[in-house]
Amino acid sequence: YQLVERYERPLLLCNPTLAVLAEEKNHSYRLLDRDTRFKFLSGYRAFSLTEPYLITDYEYDVVFVDPPFANVTPEEVARCLRLMAADRVPLYVAYNSKREEALLKAMKDFNLERKWQLSYKEGVSDKTQDSIWLYGPQGHL
């Protein structure tokens, strides 16, 4: 969460864990997620990666995306981000490094590089856990 705090108005795409932390800290954020279990969060808006729309009511300064690995391809996430005009701000993506080549190819316009390994508290097997990394803009934290 320390990286999120470096920004004033993060857009959290499929990233409810960070949204809960932002809410607890009274930090401005927008959560876009299809899972309505998170509609109790003040920054929640319903959203589907396969049916994106422009965000016109929230001026975000960074995007953090944690796509559901099994449900969408890197190409679908990249297309979604382009349609949202997310290429104008720094982008950070949590992704499985075993599929890094596909991610970097699909998101070549975003100039991503592997940053550091992430750890999930739940919902990810130990085997997969070792492969989850944060990718972000080249030359940035």
Side-chain angles (χ1 to χ4, degrees):
Y1 184 77
Q2 292 172 348
L3 184 58
V4 175
E5 288 183 312
R6 291 174 174 252
Y7 297 92
E8 292 181 20
R9 300 177 57 80
L11 178 65
L12 308 175
L13 186 55
C14 307
N15 217 321
T17 302
L18 289 180
V20 168
L21 292 170
E23 184 102 0
E24 289 173 356
K25 294 179 181 278
N26 202 27
H27 188 114
S28 177
Y29 74 94
R30 172 64 48 89
L31 170 64
L32 301 179
D33 201 299
R34 68 182 294 172
D35 191 338
T36 57
R37 290 179 298 165
F38 301 106
K39 65 183 179 183
F40 70 92
L41 294 167
S42 64
Y44 171 85
R45 300 295 181 275
F47 189 85
S48 170
L49 289 170
T50 57
E51 298 175 21
Y53 54 84
L54 283 173
I55 309 305
T56 58
D57 62 341
Y58 185 77
E59 190 67 32
Y60 53 91
D61 59 357
V62 66
V63 176
F64 291 91
V65 59
D66 189 0
F69 302 132
N71 300 336
V72 295
T73 66
E75 292 81 11
E76 289 173 313
V77 175
R79 183 172 55 248
C80 169
L81 292 166
R82 285 185 198 98
L83 290 171
M84 294 172 57
D87 56 348
R88 61 182 176 77
V89 299
L91 170 68
Y92 293 89
V93 182
Y95 208 71
N96 189 327
S97 64
K98 292 178 182 173
R99 295 186 248 161
E100 178 178 286
E101 185 177 336
L103 175 72
L104 296 179
K105 180 180 178 186
M107 299 204 180
K108 66 180 183 273
D109 299 345
F110 295 95
N111 296 314
L112 298 179
E113 66 182 2
R114 191 190 294 196
K115 297 296 185 183
W116 56 81
Q117 196 169 15
L118 298 175
S119 60
Y120 287 70
K121 292 182 180 172
E122 56 187 54
V124 176
S125 71
D126 289 340
K127 183 179 176 182
T128 301
Q129 181 72 62
D130 293 338
S131 302
I132 307 301
W133 284 74
L134 183 68
Y135 294 82
Q138 293 178 8
H140 287 79
L141 269 181

